Structures are given as C-alpha cells and as structure tokens.
Amino acid sequence: IIKQKTKTLVTRDNGRSSDAISPNFLYGCLGSCMKSYCYVGRHNNDRVYINENVEDILTSVDRWVSKQPWQKVPNQVDDKYYVLDIGCSTDVPLMGKYYDWQKVFDFFNNHEKAKSTFATKYPTKMRDYKIDPQKNRIRVSLMPQVYSSVLEPNTDKIDDRIATIPKLQQNFEVHINFSPIIYHPGWLAEYDKLSQQSECFIHAI
C-alpha cells in the first residue's frame, strides 16, 4: 500500500459504460482476479497506490464536465447526467477502508451535471455511505459461477452478488454487467441460466 499524490490528473473521454474516466483515486486492487483476466494487473499486480490529493482529482472531473454542452444530449450512458467512472483501476467496495469515498460521493451528490459509476465483484462489501441514487451508479459484475470459481477465486459468489441487489438499490442506481463473456463449450447454456437467475430475482423485488 503506497500513499502518494498523483500527477496524472487527466479526465479521459470514454463513451461505453461511462462518458469519461476520472483520474485514479486508487490505482491497484487486492482482488483475487488480479492474476487472471483483470487488465489492472498487466502493469501493476502487487501494489496499491492511494492517491491522497482527492481535491485535485475532483477538480479535474469538474473541469471536464464544465466543458461539455448542457443540457446533455441523451446517449447510451445516461439521458441526463455526464457519467464518470471512478473505479476503473480498482474495486471500490473491496477497497473501501483505504479511501474516503464519502468525499467522492458527496461531490457527485451535489454536482448539477455529473454522476458516478463503478463496477464491482464485491457488492456485499459495499459500506454505508450517504448517497443520492440518482447521481451514483453501481454495476454488479456477473458471470456463471462455474467460470467465476476459476477466474475470480475468493470474490463474492454470484448468488450473493445477485442477492445483494435489493440492498444496493436503496442507495444506488444498479446495473448488471455480464462481463467478461467466457467463450467455452456450453457457454450459451451457462449464460442463459445466469440471465434467468438474475432476471427472476430482480423481477421478484
């Protein structure tokens, strides 16, 4: 665990699951999928950098948002707000104790134009924060358990991730992220089963 002040203060355009990616609040992760497919581990698999200059990072985000046209033209990311990924190089719930995430969420809670998003494989570890559900989005990553057991050892079980969704919905806008897709004999049947499992549960809440 290395504490530092990041000098990489560039908010980058994205356009897929977010409109842009914030500078790293944390760079690195202690998740158990770092040794398999996670892209974070390609260049950094044994350290976590805690960037303590949170105000500088949020200023970069604010500057990026301020340059965008308003009102926003609706797109696949969000109809109203500019969405910034705050956990592109870490897992926010897993690394909760290492960062003042409430300060980050407060920024988005109070921002007229910006909304946060992040993906997680550890939704059961999400701490209690004061969060505006309209301004913060969590993406719960799912894959069939048979693949997750190999590629994501010691992460939250898929059943537990799905079961956590009702609690998350009290604070967040919740999306389900079927990622990554594992192409393997029988994969279509496995993902169909996963889709039905998550769909039935969500419709029941």
Side-chain angles (χ1 to χ4, degrees), residues 32-39 41-42 121 148 150-153:
S32 300
C33 48
M34 285 287 287
K35 301 295 184 181
S36 58
Y37 67 84
C38 182
Y39 60 84
R42 288 182 297 189
K121 300 177 184 69
S148 179
V150 175
L151 296 173
E152 304 172 338

Side-chain angles (χ1 to χ4, degrees), residues 71-171:
Q71 301 288 328
K72 177 187 176 181
V73 176
N75 61 9
Q76 68 174 10
V77 178
D78 196 80
D79 288 343
K80 183 176 181 180
Y81 299 110
Y82 288 101
V83 181
L84 286 295
D85 196 320
I86 63 171
C88 192
S89 297
T90 195
D91 190 298
V92 171
L94 178 65
M95 308 302 291
K97 69 179 181 179
Y98 295 102
Y99 212 79
D100 183 7
W101 290 113
Q102 184 62 64
K103 190 168 188 176
V104 179
F105 291 131
D106 283 343
F107 169 84
F108 288 97
N109 288 342
N110 298 316
H111 202 289
E112 179 186 8
K113 305 174 184 178
K115 180 176 186 173
S116 79
T117 186
F118 57 91
T120 182
K121 300 177 184 69
Y122 295 88
T124 66
K125 297 186 183 297
M126 192 68 211
R127 297 185 172 202
D128 290 328
Y129 300 100
K130 295 179 181 178
I131 294 171
D132 181 347
Q134 297 184 35
K135 304 301 296 299
N136 298 278
R137 174 185 297 162
I138 187 170
R139 309 189 317 271
V140 180
S141 296
L142 300 179
M143 70 166 69
Q145 186 64 59
V146 64
Y147 304 143
S148 179
S149 296
V150 175
L151 296 173
E152 304 172 338
N154 301 315
T155 60
D156 283 350
K157 297 296 184 184
I158 301 302
D159 284 348
D160 293 337
R161 298 185 203 184
I162 295 172
T164 305
I165 290 173
K167 180 180 178 181
L168 295 174
Q169 286 179 317
Q170 296 174 23
N171 295 314

